[in-house]
Amino acid sequence: MAVSTMDTESARTPQSQAALTKGGSARLPPGALSARLGSDGRHYFCGSVAALTNICVTFPLQKILFRQQLHGVMMTEAARQIRRDGLSNLYRGLLPPLLQKSFTVGMMFGLYEDFSRVLLNQFIGSGVPDLVTRSFAAALAGTAEAVLTPFERVQTLLQDHRHQQRFNNTLHTFRTLKAEYGMREWYRGLVPILLRNGPSNVLFFGLRGPIKEHLPEAKSWEGHLVNDFVCGGVLGAFLGIMFYPLNVVKSRTQSQVGGPFQPWRQVLLTVWRERGGSVPKLFRGAHLNYHRSLLSWGIINATYEYLLKLI
């Protein structure tokens, strides 16, 4: 069977392992770690480590972006808010995205591989195109990620300066929400997350292969690293802009504590009216989000592919 454009990058670059060992011995004994993780477990591991690396680097940018999404202010004003909060609060709210991203990105890559394998085996010889099967696998993986919505919920509250006196840390926020409102409150903002995750996964896994094929051929591990960074960064920036309004809705929805759960369309309409029916104001923060996504998904994709080849 021909290799689908939605296959992982490593499957289409057999020379990568040789490139990693060029000029010396391999960094790890061949198969040492993958033997422990299993042929499929390594996708979860590599995705999780890639996400941890990214969050530690880009968290301050994400915090500025969140303030823009929530308040509709310019980047300079959002930065001033962060500065007024003080250096000690710069990484306030770091734990939820560390946990959430390490699990979701690990699930994103791992579940995509697992679902793809199962579905391809199920529909082999049925005439269903591989592209359709893998697209469905990507959508399923994105939907499954939404189970970790509570981490995004807590991150939003800890980043919102209006709740700094009420919520002390991650565990305290979880406990307070459950005690006062029930576990349902953990999942406020679930719908925009579902609307974002499935389609974005389909586009990410569907396009990264063709994008990389149009980049100059890499002949060393450094070259592969650069190509994977560019591929992931371009896709991340594109998807970040495409789904930006849903992230605005998510931030607004999850900043609320208690009260009725408003439909996502109603929240979007409210934000639209508050910002004078202006598209540029609705996309306020998108410029920073573009650069953050470019950096974040460049780091994630490059780290993931590098680790996948390394182990």
Side-chain angles (χ1 to χ4, degrees):
M1 183 180 294
V3 177
S4 166
T5 57
M6 294 187 74
D7 284 341
T8 57
E9 302 304 320
S10 56
R12 291 182 288 102
T13 54
Q15 74 274 32
S16 59
Q17 185 63 40
L20 285 171
T21 59
K22 185 178 180 180
S25 59
R27 285 141 174 86
L28 288 176
L33 186 54
S34 60
R36 293 185 178 183
L37 295 173
S39 60
D40 302 311
R42 62 197 183 108
H43 293 284
Y44 293 92
F45 173 79
C46 294
S48 296
V49 174
L52 287 171
T53 303
N54 164 61
I55 288 297
C56 290
V57 173
T58 64
F59 185 76
L61 287 176
Q62 171 59 36
K63 199 162 189 176
I64 293 174
L65 174 63
F66 166 75
R67 296 290 176 87
Q68 289 190 270
Q69 290 176 340
L70 184 60
H71 302 301
V73 297
M74 300 295 288
M75 184 175 66
T76 51
E77 173 57 27
R80 275 195 290 267
Q81 289 182 10
I82 301 297
R83 188 165 58 248
R84 285 196 297 268
D85 291 344
L87 187 61
S88 61
N89 286 316
L90 179 61
Y91 277 86
R92 174 182 164 85
L94 175 65
L95 184 58
L98 274 179
L99 296 174
Q100 186 255 340
K101 279 296 183 183
S102 64
F103 282 114
T104 56
V105 176
M107 288 174 64
M108 171 184 167
F109 286 105
L111 288 178
Y112 168 69
E113 292 296 329
D114 285 344
F115 283 139
S116 293
R117 185 181 65 256
V118 171
L119 292 174
L120 287 172
N121 288 337
Q122 183 72 25
F123 293 107
I124 189 169
S126 66
V128 177
D130 282 4
L131 180 62
V132 173
T133 302
R134 290 185 178 276
S135 294
F136 188 50
L140 286 175
T143 302
E145 292 171 42
V147 72
L148 298 172
T149 293
F151 289 109
E152 287 198 53
R153 168 69 162 137
V154 171
Q155 177 190 354
T156 297
L157 293 176
L158 290 176
Q159 287 184 340
D160 189 346
H161 63 90
R162 297 173 301 179
H163 298 297
Q164 285 185 359
Q165 302 303 315
R166 184 174 185 183
F167 302 112
N168 299 328
N169 52 47
T170 301
L171 186 58
H172 178 258
T173 306
F174 272 118
R175 286 176 172 173
T176 301
L177 292 177
K178 181 181 178 182
E180 297 184 7
Y181 304 100
M183 291 180 62
R184 183 169 181 263
E185 190 70 21
W186 290 358
Y187 284 88
R188 189 181 289 270
L190 174 63
V191 174
I193 288 174
L194 285 171
L195 293 174
R196 175 197 68 189
N197 283 9
S200 64
N201 266 22
V202 172
L203 291 172
F204 180 82
F205 286 110
L207 294 176
R208 68 178 187 146
I211 288 176
K212 189 172 182 180
E213 288 174 355
H214 285 83
L215 296 175
E217 183 181 359
K219 300 185 182 298
S220 65
W221 73 268
E222 293 93 343
H224 282 288
L225 201 65
V226 170
N227 280 0
D228 289 327
F229 180 90
V230 171
C231 176
V234 168
L235 269 174
F238 167 70
L239 295 175
I241 294 295
M242 175 178 288
F243 294 98
Y244 191 79
L246 282 175
N247 282 323
V248 172
V249 171
K250 179 194 75 72
S251 295
R252 174 62 69 90
T253 301
Q254 292 187 331
S255 67
Q256 178 184 342
V257 179
F261 279 57
Q262 296 180 320
W264 71 272
R265 289 186 296 269
Q266 183 178 337
V267 176
L268 179 60
L269 184 60
T270 299
V271 174
W272 171 262
R273 288 171 176 169
E274 287 178 357
R275 301 184 184 182
S278 169
V279 173
K281 289 183 179 179
L282 181 63
F283 277 82
R284 183 159 285 173
H287 182 264
L288 179 60
N289 184 67
Y290 173 87
H291 291 92
R292 182 196 64 84
S293 297
L294 184 70
L295 178 62
S296 294
W297 283 101
I299 292 173
I300 288 173
N301 197 54
T303 305
Y304 169 79
E305 290 293 344
Y306 177 75
L307 289 173
L308 199 62
K309 295 163 188 172
L310 193 64
I311 64 176

